[in-house]
Amino acid sequence: MSKGTIFKFHNDLDTDQIIASQYLLLPTIDEMKSHTFESLDPDFPKKVKEGDFVVGGENFGCGSSREQAPSVLKALGVKAIIAKSFARIFFRNSINIGLPVLICKELPDEVSTGDEMELSLSEGIITVNGKQYTCTKLAPYMQNILNQGGLIAFLNKEE
């Protein structure tokens, strides 16, 4: 069971809004992460804490296929991203680096930034403001990939 604060964002949030292209020139994710959501909330990197959650609407992570977008969120300590739907490449990149992404159709419309959330990833259950929501429960093999820290770590461990 994980507990944290929600940071809520809008529909069609694209990867340029997560990490703008000019910061991709920085040599490491650690250097990039201080620019996360800069155009939407310049203080996000200072406010987000290890174990917090990002909530979005439809088509979260659309735009380019940059792996740095989920990587900066993971580097800042975001525990999971919950949205109504995800761009396919963002979803895949997130799983590849070990960042849980969950679909929950109702939750984004009923929560706000600052709400406290509790997530049971293994059960696919979220509790916010006294209400429970059911989200996608990841298949055991995907959960195993996440538990290993992402696809590369999972594949390296298999050898």
Side-chain angles (χ1 to χ4, degrees), residues 98-127:
L99 178 62
V101 282
L102 306 170
I103 296 171
C104 188
K105 298 287 185 183
E106 296 173 338
L107 179 122
D109 292 332
E110 298 182 13
V111 300
S112 301
T113 293
D115 288 348
E116 292 298 313
M117 185 176 117
E118 193 171 284
L119 168 66
S120 172
L121 191 58
S122 61
E123 298 299 318
I125 296 183
I126 297 171
T127 305

Side-chain angles (χ1 to χ4, degrees), residues 36-51:
T36 304
F37 290 125
E38 191 169 82
S39 66
L40 301 173
D41 181 358
D43 294 327
F44 176 81
K46 295 177 188 139
K47 295 187 288 190
V48 70
K49 304 282 184 263
E50 183 83 28

